[in-house]
Amino acid sequence: MDRYFLKLSWKNIWRNRRRTLLTINAIGFGVMALVALYNYYDGFHDQVIQNVIRYQSGHLLVTAPDYHKRMATQLFMKDPSEVDTWLSSREEVKAFSHRVMVQGLVSTAQGSANIVFAGIEPEREKDVTRFSGNLIQGTYFNDDTEKPIVLGSELANLLQASLGSKVVALTQGVDGSIGNELFYVSGIFETHSDFDKNMAFVHINDARQLLSLGSQASHQLAVVLKNEEGLESVQQSFVSKFGSGPNLPFQILNWKEVQKPLMAMIELNQSANRLLMFIIIFVAALGIANSILMSILERTREFGVMLAIGTTKKEVVKMVVMETVLLSLVGVALGNVLGFLVTEFFHHYGFDLAWLSSQKLVVQGTIIQTISYPEIRWNNSLLVSLIVLVLSLVVSFIPIKHVSRLNPVNALRAL
Amino acid sequence: MILSFDQVSKQYSELETAIRQVSFEIEEGEFTALAGPSGSGKSTILNLAAGLDFPTSGTVTLLGQDLRALDKIGLSHLRCNQVGFVFQSYNLFPVLTALENVEYPLALKGVPPKERRKLAEKALEEAGCGTLGKRLPSELSGGQQQRVAIARAIVTTPKIVFADEPTANLDSKTAKMLLEVFKDLNTNKNITFLFSSHDPLVLETAERIIQVADGKVHEDPSNKQQPFIKGLGFRTPPQSLRSTLSYYHS
Ligand SMILES: Nc1ncnc2c1ncn2[C@@H]1O[C@H](COP(=O)(O)OP(=O)(O)OP(=O)(O)O)[C@@H](O)[C@H]1O
Ligand SMILES: [Mg+2]
């Protein structure tokens, strides 16, 4: 088979222009939708993950065993300084920061609320999470306010507190005593998420005092790596250095373990996408099958002529397969070009799925930006193209039965 | 001997016996017509002769091969290499130009493109339509299309060409011109022709006529004895043809 038959197949697929264009457009549209959607989702998932890493957990989180599951104030690390030393010695580590988390009541004369006081190390935390970037008023622990507290915007409204206002914090310490402390509002942050109404930041030492904890005690040690590749090796060496088990002082979790619900959501999303892909490609394959079958049934007589002048059935089948593959190749090429253009467009202007839902997308108290700027990812194009082409190859064998049943005499009598 | 039918019968169904105990032989270089009314079995004979169909009983021998002894691929190769076929309704591939249509059998054989083109142009020339190579079948008249179909049938220089009512869709003048093309190819390239027709004008040109009626063949032995004299044109219609003519005129 040489170029002659390629040309013949090419000309054959254009005998019914309208039908061919329709089929090509169907394939093209399906491929475009899938490629663009996959590019979008990949970008979106990456963004969600980056968000969560940068706003909450960091790449790795060191806690007392079980702390992450139970979030109990009593489960604190008494003296994690040897972990600090070890982390400082690791090449892969970019930054780390301790936190003491306190459940308690915050109140002013105007109101009160049950919130979480996050006791942080302000300077180190800046390198770990981006929370400091959400400040809308005041400063982030760098004026000389005594006992500073940074409130969420909704919380500040509820308490009718403004910069410099006095607020009282009340909680039960780990020893059972009641701790209370006077704070002065030094800043107000806004994230447009639940954090705005149920969270406040204080200095880690003030939080320790509130809970009657020792001067080294910590609930969470969040670690950010220079890049994600180092994740497993750091986690593994940590385990071999400090061990792992319920009776040991430390437990290390990576962000996937910390963010199980988020990962579950992403996986659910991905399987939904895969399902969508199969539906779209299945529909496209039906279109191809229909197109090719019709074009074959119309050409019974021509096949009779081919057989009569010495073409073997195998060669006829080859031609039909070639036509099908050519047809889907054109569709796939079109779809990829369109998918590329759509992705490029949204790469510049951004794409927001928020209009699909009236709710804000919040995962564990963090609002997730739904706007994302997708990038071309060749593996998506390759995957979708390959599946369509393989399926079209499969579909192209449907007419084999018809061809093998052809009898040149009867075929020649056909109109 | 290039083709022989030995006691060949073809039964399509219990009710329908197309031909019965047909025997005849065709020698190399002959120019033979199958004559007979509609439904008499002409197409059936041609299809059996080309191995497009198989007899219910009897033996068809083409170019020394018992056709039933060949498998499908062997038959396809035989048709592709040694046999040409011309149909009543031209049956050119509509998406291909005249030249590309003629190239088809050569492409099947795997002849390289340059040589293929040259041979196809030559065949078009011989069929009297050398200037039409670039046109699509839809841009050609019936007679022109049939010339292209003839070029396609002879481009592989087959030993024998079968033509089933090649002129039935053409006016008599065009039909006659086409038969002259057949005749020239028969004379100059020694290609054996077996064609069917019920058109007296066409039958006039035949060198030998095999009468088909009701699935049986009979031949006036007299007409075989007068050889065709090259260069002298067509001889007077033989006895058998006269009877055919009177059959049609009655
Ligand atoms: N595939 C078939 N199935 C059943 N009967 C058939 C088939 N092909 C031909 N016949 C019958 O066989 C007989 C001979 O048909 P055939 O086509 O050979 O005649 P013909 O001489 O070519 O006629 P025409 O001049 O009309 O083309 C007819 O009675 C026809 O009805
Ligand atoms: Mg017929």
Side-chain angles (χ1 to χ4, degrees):
Chain A
M1 289 277 191
D2 61 15
R3 268 185 43 204
Y4 181 91
F5 290 95
L6 195 67
K7 200 158 93 183
L8 178 56
S9 300
W10 177 254
K11 288 181 168 181
N12 273 334
I13 65 176
W14 291 105
R15 333 174 84 155
N16 191 328
R17 240 189 147 75
R18 201 152 48 144
R19 185 174 62 210
T20 298
L21 279 176
L22 256 158
T23 310
I24 286 175
N25 283 341
I27 303 169
F29 188 80
V31 168
M32 175 204 75
L34 288 173
V35 166
L37 206 66
Y38 279 22
N39 286 343
Y40 168 77
Y41 267 115
D42 279 1
F44 176 60
H45 290 155
D46 278 4
Q47 178 177 318
V48 167
I49 288 164
Q50 287 312 314
N51 257 338
V52 163
I53 290 171
R54 297 300 279 150
Y55 277 101
Q56 287 194 320
S57 45
H59 289 112
L60 292 162
L61 197 64
V62 181
T63 63
D66 254 16
Y67 172 80
H68 178 69
K69 247 190 234 156
R70 290 165 50 195
M71 295 282 179
T73 315
Q74 289 82 359
L75 297 173
F76 59 91
M77 303 177 280
K78 217 179 216 152
D79 185 4
S81 51
E82 54 176 322
V83 180
D84 285 19
T85 314
W86 183 80
L87 285 173
S88 308
S89 74
R90 293 294 300 202
E91 265 284 298
E92 303 93 324
V93 175
K94 188 178 155 219
F96 57 90
S97 168
H98 287 280
R99 300 161 186 170
V100 168
M101 307 301 274
V102 187
Q103 279 278 355
L105 197 72
V106 65
S107 59
T108 59
Q110 278 74 31
S112 64
N114 203 354
I115 63 158
V116 173
F117 299 90
I120 56 169
E121 303 173 292
E123 282 316 306
R124 287 169 132 192
E125 189 67 37
K126 254 192 235 174
D127 296 329
V128 175
T129 59
R130 292 184 184 134
F131 240 104
S132 56
N134 295 318
L135 212 66
I136 55 168
Q137 272 181 52
T139 62
Y140 183 77
F141 300 100
N142 58 2
D143 59 2
D144 43 14
T145 312
E146 226 183 300
K147 302 266 182 194
I149 187 165
V150 177
L151 299 177
S153 56
E154 283 185 53
L155 185 61
N157 275 344
L158 179 83
L159 301 174
Q160 295 183 23
S162 55
L163 292 180
S165 300
K166 269 191 281 185
V167 300
V168 177
L170 189 69
T171 187
Q172 187 174 29
V174 289
D175 55 0
S177 64
I178 296 296
N180 64 66
E181 202 74 60
L182 199 61
F183 288 96
Y184 296 89
V185 177
S186 69
I188 292 173
F189 70 84
E190 189 166 71
T191 59
H192 300 285
S193 72
D194 285 357
F195 285 157
D196 294 353
K197 62 175 179 233
N198 61 19
M199 192 135 175
F201 292 94
V202 296
H203 201 282
I204 191 165
N205 287 330
D206 296 338
R208 284 175 182 141
Q209 209 174 342
L210 204 52
L211 286 178
S212 314
L213 285 172
S215 63
Q216 302 297 321
S218 162
H219 284 125
Q220 302 179 345
L221 170 50
V223 183
V224 171
L225 303 175
K226 286 180 184 142
N227 60 53
E228 214 180 322
E229 274 89 84
L231 193 90
E232 266 175 35
S233 77
V234 174
Q235 191 174 9
Q236 268 164 18
S237 2
F238 183 97
V239 169
S240 55
K241 167 116 177 116
F242 298 101
S244 73
N247 300 318
L248 292 167
F250 310 117
Q251 178 185 36
I252 189 164
L253 296 171
N254 63 41
W255 62 266
K256 288 179 202 167
E257 293 161 328
V258 176
Q259 303 290 353
K260 276 215 175 102
L262 178 68
M263 292 313 287
M265 186 200 84
I266 288 177
E267 267 168 36
L268 190 70
N269 240 327
Q270 281 168 342
S271 17
N273 285 346
R274 241 167 280 145
L275 189 68
L276 188 71
M277 171 168 86
F278 282 114
I279 293 171
I280 290 184
I281 291 181
F282 184 72
V283 171
L286 281 185
I288 302 172
N290 172 61
S291 179
I292 214 73
L293 214 58
M294 280 182 36
S295 92
I296 277 174
L297 293 177
E298 286 168 358
R299 278 189 286 165
T300 300
R301 187 191 180 88
E302 209 168 302
F303 288 148
V305 175
M306 287 183 166
L307 295 175
I309 65 179
T311 320
T312 60
K313 286 187 175 173
K314 212 171 124 190
E315 284 161 334
V316 175
V317 168
K318 257 194 209 165
M319 200 182 70
V320 172
V321 171
M322 200 137 76
E323 286 176 22
T324 319
V325 170
L326 273 178
L327 186 71
S328 28
L329 259 178
V330 176
V332 163
L334 177 75
N336 273 304
V337 169
L338 292 178
F340 179 90
L341 292 178
V342 170
T343 306
E344 271 297 292
F345 178 85
F346 288 116
H347 181 71
H348 289 291
Y349 298 100
F351 184 66
D352 196 346
L353 265 189
W355 51 269
L356 282 178
S357 135
S358 57
Q359 300 277 311
K360 289 230 180 281
L361 183 56
V362 177
V363 177
Q364 292 199 334
T366 312
I367 191 149
I368 306 291
Q369 283 288 326
T370 46
I371 189 158
S372 119
Y373 298 85
E375 275 171 34
I376 312 273
R377 294 185 194 225
W378 294 115
N379 56 338
N380 289 336
S381 307
L382 206 69
L383 176 77
V384 174
S385 307
L386 228 86
I387 293 183
V388 172
L389 287 179
V390 167
L391 213 62
S392 81
L393 206 64
V394 172
V395 159
S396 73
F397 282 91
I398 293 175
I400 281 191
K401 220 173 166 182
H402 177 81
V403 173
S404 69
R405 279 197 194 141
L406 276 180
N407 164 328
V409 176
N410 291 336
L412 278 166
R413 289 156 66 103
L415 276 178
Chain B
M1 184 185 63
I2 200 162
L3 171 72
S4 89
F5 270 54
D6 184 19
Q7 299 287 313
V8 175
S9 298
K10 176 71 186 178
Q11 203 168 355
Y12 284 108
S13 64
E14 277 180 33
L15 296 171
E16 193 61 69
T17 304
I19 59 169
R20 266 176 258 255
Q21 309 271 334
V22 165
S23 297
F24 65 88
E25 290 184 355
I26 302 238
E27 299 295 334
E28 200 175 325
E30 277 191 43
F31 195 70
T32 312
L34 290 166
S38 184
S40 55
K42 305 184 295 293
S43 298
T44 304
I45 289 174
L46 285 171
N47 289 338
L48 292 172
L52 297 178
D53 208 352
F54 299 94
T56 317
S57 66
T59 309
V60 178
T61 311
L62 177 63
L63 296 153
Q65 301 252 34
D66 178 352
L67 289 185
R68 235 192 317 215
L70 287 171
D71 62 1
K72 287 198 169 154
I73 295 181
L75 275 172
S76 287
H77 285 163
L78 186 70
R79 280 203 293 273
C80 179
N81 293 307
Q82 317 265 22
V83 179
F85 227 108
V86 178
F87 308 90
Q88 174 178 334
S89 41
Y90 330 132
N91 286 335
L92 298 174
F93 303 122
V95 295
L96 296 179
T97 64
L99 187 67
E100 289 166 342
N101 262 287
V102 179
E103 282 182 77
Y104 182 89
L106 298 172
L108 266 189
K109 282 175 73 172
V111 177
K114 262 194 180 160
E115 198 188 334
R116 197 166 70 201
R117 186 132 297 211
K118 240 171 60 192
L119 287 171
E121 275 164 359
K122 196 168 141 244
L124 279 172
E125 204 70 54
E126 284 163 353
C129 49
T131 57
L132 304 175
K134 288 213 166 73
R135 298 219 207 150
L136 288 172
S138 56
E139 299 162 348
L140 295 172
S141 73
Q144 288 170 329
Q145 284 187 60
Q146 198 60 308
R147 281 174 192 263
V148 175
I150 291 167
R152 181 175 67 182
I154 58 147
V155 72
T156 56
T157 48
K159 289 272 187 312
I160 186 163
V161 170
F162 298 111
D164 194 3
E165 315 224 20
T167 59
N169 290 356
L170 303 173
D171 62 72
S172 53
K173 202 174 138 217
T174 317
K176 205 142 191 175
M177 268 161 41
L178 215 78
L179 277 152
E180 275 165 35
V181 174
F182 276 159
K183 193 67 213 141
D184 283 347
L185 289 164
N186 172 245
T187 315
N188 301 331
K189 307 195 86 177
N190 199 33
I191 297 174
T192 310
F193 276 86
L194 178 61
F195 56 92
S196 72
S197 182
H198 54 239
D199 180 353
L201 264 170
V202 172
L203 295 174
E204 246 174 45
T205 65
E207 199 177 305
R208 172 185 168 195
I209 292 174
I210 298 173
Q211 288 286 344
V212 191
D214 284 338
K216 295 204 167 168
V217 300
H218 37 91
E219 211 172 335
D220 187 344
S222 66
N223 72 43
K224 225 182 162 180
Q225 281 145 21
Q226 303 173 8
F228 178 77
I229 303 162
K230 280 181 185 167
L232 288 186
F234 305 121
R235 63 188 159 72
T236 47
Q239 195 54 45
S240 62
L241 180 58
R242 291 208 187 94
S243 58
T244 308
L245 289 176
S246 56
Y247 175 92
Y248 279 106
H249 293 147
S250 63

